[in-house]
């Protein structure tokens, strides 16, 4: 893939360049694609009627476009205007808020395959004028289509953000709305050094808990596909899932190994959701739950595997040292502790998502943040673990595994 800015040639478009020959096509229509694939890609013969034959004219047009772009940049700089990419970053909250509001109001379900603004406004119980403004903004963001005054969900929003969607993620995405007030107070959090108006998980109520667990369930359902092969379920007969939430990982491990029994340790306010997922999976005989506070309670003993997934970032260093120590005590000889989380490089500025997630923990917890591989390794070795190693995974999180 070659990343580039605007090349110009817009009036000739759509344009294609075929490598390695460097053949330029212009004015390509959808109907031309099969011919290009068959004649050029498979047969090695360019489609002559579409080939642009004057390379000097192409080069001149590209240079002229580049010169215009550079002139525009110089003019912005001379006027003291912010660079475009910086300005986009500063304004990006606007797009996020529009989408979150659409999810909260269930706009994409209401729009369906085609509805007018008054019809949608009535369904979502919202002001008619404001509804139309929101719908037009969603069209501008390409999250709705509009034709003849009727709005319709796009294939993406129909699939993921509608009640009819095969991958309906509305419940999970509402967790982002829950985070919005926290992030709005980031300045205060930086000044004070901790989350403002922090509430214990057990005190947040269903309005917070259900979207949060739904978001974790959606993520865990995807991550389990790479986590389980990386860990290897063979030989695991007794597993403890600390702070297991919806139970997605325990359910996936149990499905991967018929001999495995898992126990999910979480708050009593969370476990009704957990039990529902276990029952839906038909695994009530092999996946059980236990209520407790993972910050202070003993986890029992004799486990072959203890899983800490997306837990450590919520706590400060002292709390994590104690948590890892209690996990060590819960393992049988030879048992493994598996930590999955965002793992920072040693300078703590990358990967980007791990660094940003530290801010999410600043606004949401008393002392949590993302940690580095060396920090995890030091805690585990101090607790008595041997063979501590990092296992890179596809995506944003990795594993750190230690053996008792």
């Amino acid at each position: 893939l070659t990343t580039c800015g605007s090349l110009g040639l817009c009036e000739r478009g759509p344009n294609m360049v075929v490598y390695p020959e460097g053949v330029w096509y212009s004015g390509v229509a959808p109907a031309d694609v099969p011919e290009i694939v068959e004649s050029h890609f498979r047969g090695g013969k360019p489609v002559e009627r579409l080939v642009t034959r004057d390379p000097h004219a192409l080069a001149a047009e590209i240079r002229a476009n580049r010169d215009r772009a550079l002139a525009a940049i110089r003019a912005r700089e001379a006027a003291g205007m912010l660079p475009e990419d910086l300005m986009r970053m500063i304004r990006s909250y606007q797009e996020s808020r529009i989408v979150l509001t659409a999810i909260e109001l269930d706009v994409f379900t209401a729009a369906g395959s085609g509805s007018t603004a008054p019809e949608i406004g009535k369904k979502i119980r919202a002001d008619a004028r404001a509804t139309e403004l929101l719908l037009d903004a969603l069209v501008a963001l390409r999250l709705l289509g509009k034709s003849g005054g009727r709005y319709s969900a796009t294939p993406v929003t129909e699939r993921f953000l509608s009640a009819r969607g095969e991958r309906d993620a509305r419940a999970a995405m509402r967790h982002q709305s829950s985070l919005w007030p926290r992030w709005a107070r980031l300045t205060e959090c930086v000044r004070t050094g901790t989350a403002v108006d922090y509430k214990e998980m057990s005190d947040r109520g269903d309005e917070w808990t259900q979207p949060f667990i739904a978001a974790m369930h959606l993520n865990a359902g995807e991550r389990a596909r790479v986590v389980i092969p990386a860990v290897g379920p063979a030989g695991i007969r007794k597993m403890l899932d600390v702070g297991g939430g919806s139970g997605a990982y325990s359910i996936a491990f149990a499905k991967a190994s018929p001999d495995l029994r898992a126990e999910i340790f979480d708050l009593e306010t969370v476990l009704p959701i957990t039990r529902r997922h276990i029952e839906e999976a038909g695994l009530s005989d092999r996946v059980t739950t236990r209520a407790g506070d993972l910050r202070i309670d003993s986890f029992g003993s004799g486990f072959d595997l203890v899983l800490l997934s997306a837990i450590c970032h919520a706590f400060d260093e002292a709390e994590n040292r104690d948590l890892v120590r209690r996990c060590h005590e819960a393992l049988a000889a030879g048992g493994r502790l598996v930590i999955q989380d965002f793992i920072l490089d040693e300078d703590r500025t990358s990967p980007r998502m791990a660094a940003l997630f530290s801010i999410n923990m600043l606004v949401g917890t008393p002392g949590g943040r993302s940690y580095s591989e060396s920090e995890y390794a030091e805690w585990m070795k101090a607790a008595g673990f041997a063979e501590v190693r990092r296992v890179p995974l596809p995506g944003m999180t990795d594993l750190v595994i230690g053996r008792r």
Side-chain angles (χ1 to χ4, degrees):
L1 300 181
T2 301
T3 302
C4 63
S6 169
L7 294 176
L9 312 180
C10 295
E11 68 278 7
R12 298 174 181 259
N15 298 287
M16 287 179 60
V17 190
V18 180
Y19 294 106
E21 305 96 321
V23 172
W24 283 74
Y25 290 123
S26 292
V28 178
D32 299 320
V33 173
E35 184 180 0
I36 293 172
V37 171
E38 189 63 33
S39 176
H40 195 166
F41 294 0
R42 305 186 84 174
K45 182 180 179 181
V47 180
E48 294 296 334
R49 62 186 176 80
L50 297 172
V51 173
T52 302
R53 287 296 184 188
D54 189 345
H56 299 294
L58 282 176
E61 195 169 336
I62 290 169
R63 281 196 300 271
N65 181 72
R66 180 197 61 193
D67 292 343
R68 285 193 299 270
L70 291 174
I73 292 171
R74 287 192 292 269
R76 289 178 64 86
E77 290 176 347
M81 297 176 69
L82 273 67
E84 283 282 356
D85 55 348
L86 178 58
M87 201 62 217
R88 274 196 304 272
M89 192 180 299
I90 292 170
R91 289 194 302 251
S92 61
Y93 72 92
Q94 298 174 356
E95 295 183 4
S96 174
R97 186 62 259 177
I98 288 168
V99 180
L100 290 176
T101 292
I103 293 169
E104 291 172 5
L105 295 173
D106 208 8
V107 165
F108 304 110
T109 299
S113 59
S115 300
T116 66
E119 290 169 344
I120 295 171
K122 185 175 181 180
K123 289 178 185 176
I124 66 175
R125 299 192 298 275
D127 176 79
R129 170 182 169 275
T131 297
E132 186 170 15
L133 294 176
L134 177 63
L135 296 174
D136 286 338
L138 290 166
V139 173
L141 295 175
R142 299 185 180 181
L143 298 176
L144 285 177
K146 183 179 183 181
S147 178
R150 301 184 72 82
Y151 300 86
S152 58
T154 66
V156 170
T157 54
E158 178 72 12
R159 187 182 189 201
F160 294 107
L161 300 178
S162 166
R164 296 173 298 275
E166 60 175 314
R167 293 290 186 268
D168 180 11
R170 290 172 303 154
M173 292 303 99
R174 288 189 184 103
H175 176 56
Q176 299 299 321
S177 292
S178 300
L179 296 176
W180 187 273
R182 289 180 169 186
W183 278 81
R185 305 190 72 176
L186 174 58
T187 303
E188 295 173 70
C189 295
V190 173
R191 284 182 175 140
T192 61
T194 190
V196 178
D197 294 335
Y198 172 76
K199 286 185 179 180
E200 295 291 343
M201 184 72 178
S202 56
D203 297 329
R204 293 177 189 176
D206 288 346
E207 188 175 337
W208 167 276
T209 302
Q210 291 186 9
F212 172 69
I213 298 300
M216 299 306 102
H217 184 73
L218 181 68
N219 181 64
E222 289 294 324
R223 299 299 292 160
R225 300 176 187 180
V226 294
V227 169
I228 292 176
V231 173
I236 302 172
R237 300 184 65 85
K238 188 179 178 184
M239 169 184 171
L240 179 66
D241 190 351
V242 178
S246 71
Y249 284 109
S250 291
I251 291 168
F253 269 98
K255 287 181 176 179
S257 175
D259 298 325
L260 184 147
R261 292 181 177 272
E263 182 176 69
I264 300 166
F265 185 98
D266 216 317
L267 297 169
E268 187 59 63
T269 52
V270 172
L271 292 182
I273 302 172
T274 314
R275 296 185 190 107
R276 187 180 75 245
H277 284 291
I278 294 170
E279 290 169 7
E280 289 173 354
L283 289 168
S284 298
D285 59 329
R286 291 199 291 128
V287 181
T288 59
T289 62
R290 175 157 54 108
D293 187 338
L294 61 82
R295 296 171 301 180
I296 57 175
D297 290 338
S298 169
F299 298 137
S301 61
F303 292 98
D304 301 308
L305 175 70
V306 174
L307 177 66
L308 285 176
S309 180
I311 298 297
C312 294
H313 58 237
F315 302 119
D316 63 29
E317 181 178 345
E319 290 172 315
N320 279 316
R321 286 180 178 276
D322 181 63
L323 176 60
V324 170
R325 177 188 60 79
R326 285 180 287 120
C327 289
H328 184 270
E329 294 174 352
L331 286 164
R336 291 174 293 168
L337 170 62
V338 175
I339 296 175
Q340 180 184 206
D341 221 311
F342 299 101
I343 299 180
L344 284 166
D345 293 338
E346 294 307 315
D347 68 356
R348 296 184 180 175
T349 62
S350 60
R352 182 173 181 269
M353 188 60 209
L356 294 180
F357 203 80
S358 283
I359 302 300
N360 194 43
M361 292 299 96
L362 172 62
V363 301
T365 67
R369 64 172 177 85
S370 298
Y371 295 96
S372 67
E373 178 183 352
S374 63
E375 289 172 304
Y376 282 113
E378 199 277 320
W379 304 338
M380 294 173 81
K381 290 175 182 176
F385 284 97
E387 301 177 28
V388 177
R389 60 193 177 95
R390 179 177 180 176
V391 179
L393 297 178
M396 296 183 290
T397 59
D398 288 341
L399 304 179
V400 180
I401 302 176
R403 188 179 296 275
R404 178 170 178 173

